């Protein structure tokens, strides 16, 4: 039978959704969100005394870490023990990247230096230091041309270096209006950087 409309002529609101909005299977079809399973750590490597700021895992056996305690450590990932410690005299290490050919570790620091280390030296002094005008926040080796390295700096600069002659930058790439925070390569011909200005800047390198 037809129901009588309300006195004001406006249909009464229904507490149930229309048929098209009802969940199939009724109330049992609504399930609570399930939290993802938390996995246990396979290993815990201890040795740094301050924040770990960057990691690189170039081979299955070798793992590198940089820390605000001013050290860069090489680890035997299988054993879980440090095999070498590179020290920058307490200057916080902010970023790192590892080139296997040649075996060189590049690190950026809070004292405005980009340091190069011989990965085979097992704790020796840096083989070179490249000055910047602010904290060196990011470094990346070119995976195709082994001597090319790009760095990002808190002065907004993004610079390309040839480590065989690092006194002067090979190229100064487009600057950020703020701090440059990260860099990456596409092959040997293009570099992308990101900064606090919210911009990604892609630079194509001359052959």
């Amino acid at each position: 039978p037809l129901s009588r409309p309300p006195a004001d002529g406006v249909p009464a609101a229904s507490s149930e959704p229309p048929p098209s909005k009802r969940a199939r299977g009724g109330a049992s079809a609504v399930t609570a969100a399930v939290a993802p399973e938390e996995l246990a750590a396979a290993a815990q490597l201890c040795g740094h005394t301050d924040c770990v700021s960057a990691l690189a895992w170039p081979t299955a056996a070798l793992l590198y870490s940089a820390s605000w305690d001013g050290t860069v450590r090489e680890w035997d990932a299988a054993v879980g023990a440090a095999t070498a410690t590179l020290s920058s005299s307490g200057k916080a290490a902010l970023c790192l990247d590892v080139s296997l050919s040649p075996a060189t570790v590049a690190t950026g620091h809070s004292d405005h230096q980009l340091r190069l280390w011989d990965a085979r030296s097992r704790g020796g002094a840096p083989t070179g230091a490249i000055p910047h005008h602010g904290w060196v926040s990011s470094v990346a080796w070119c995976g195709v041309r082994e001597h090319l390295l790009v760095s990002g700096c808190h002065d907004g600069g993004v610079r390309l270096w040839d480590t065989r002659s690092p006194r002067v930058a090979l190229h100064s790439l487009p600057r950020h209006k703020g701090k440059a925070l990260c860099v990456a390569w596409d092959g040997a011909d293009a570099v992308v950087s990101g900064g606090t200005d919210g911009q990604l800047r892609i630079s194509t390198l001359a052959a």
Side-chain angles (χ1 to χ4, degrees):
L2 296 176
S3 60
R4 181 178 297 178
D8 59 3
V10 179
S14 173
S15 60
E16 291 194 12
S20 61
K21 300 295 184 180
R22 294 174 185 169
R24 293 182 180 178
S28 61
V30 180
T31 58
V34 178
E37 180 183 359
E38 184 174 340
L39 300 178
Q44 183 170 310
L45 311 182
C46 300
H48 288 297
T49 59
D50 209 331
C51 299
V52 176
S53 52
L55 296 169
W57 202 339
T59 72
L62 290 179
L63 173 66
Y64 291 85
S65 60
S67 171
W68 289 4
D69 65 10
T71 66
V72 175
R73 294 176 185 265
E74 177 191 271
W75 305 85
D76 184 322
V79 176
T83 53
T85 300
L86 311 174
S87 176
S88 60
S89 302
K91 306 302 181 182
L94 309 174
C95 56
L96 71 86
D97 197 19
V98 180
S99 172
L100 296 178
S101 178
T104 307
V105 180
T107 57
H109 297 264
S110 61
D111 64 348
H112 305 183
Q113 298 289 324
L114 189 163
R115 290 181 170 85
L116 303 175
W117 313 80
D118 185 341
R120 300 160 295 188
S121 68
R122 292 294 184 268
T127 58
I130 303 173
H132 285 61
H133 301 294
W135 287 16
V136 183
S137 52
S138 53
V139 290
W141 289 101
C142 177
V144 180
R145 299 165 67 182
E146 61 187 27
H147 297 291
L148 292 186
L149 176 70
V150 65
S151 66
C153 181
H154 276 196
D155 69 353
V158 179
R159 299 173 179 86
L160 179 67
W161 307 91
D162 185 329
T163 57
R164 295 168 297 184
S165 181
R167 290 189 175 183
V168 179
L170 196 61
H171 293 292
S172 182
L173 305 180
R175 296 177 60 86
H176 287 271
K177 297 177 181 178
K179 301 171 183 177
L181 298 179
C182 49
V183 292
W185 286 86
D186 176 25
D189 300 322
V191 170
V192 61
S193 62
T196 58
D197 55 3
Q199 299 291 319
L200 298 177
R201 300 186 182 275
I202 299 175
S203 302
T204 301
L205 308 180

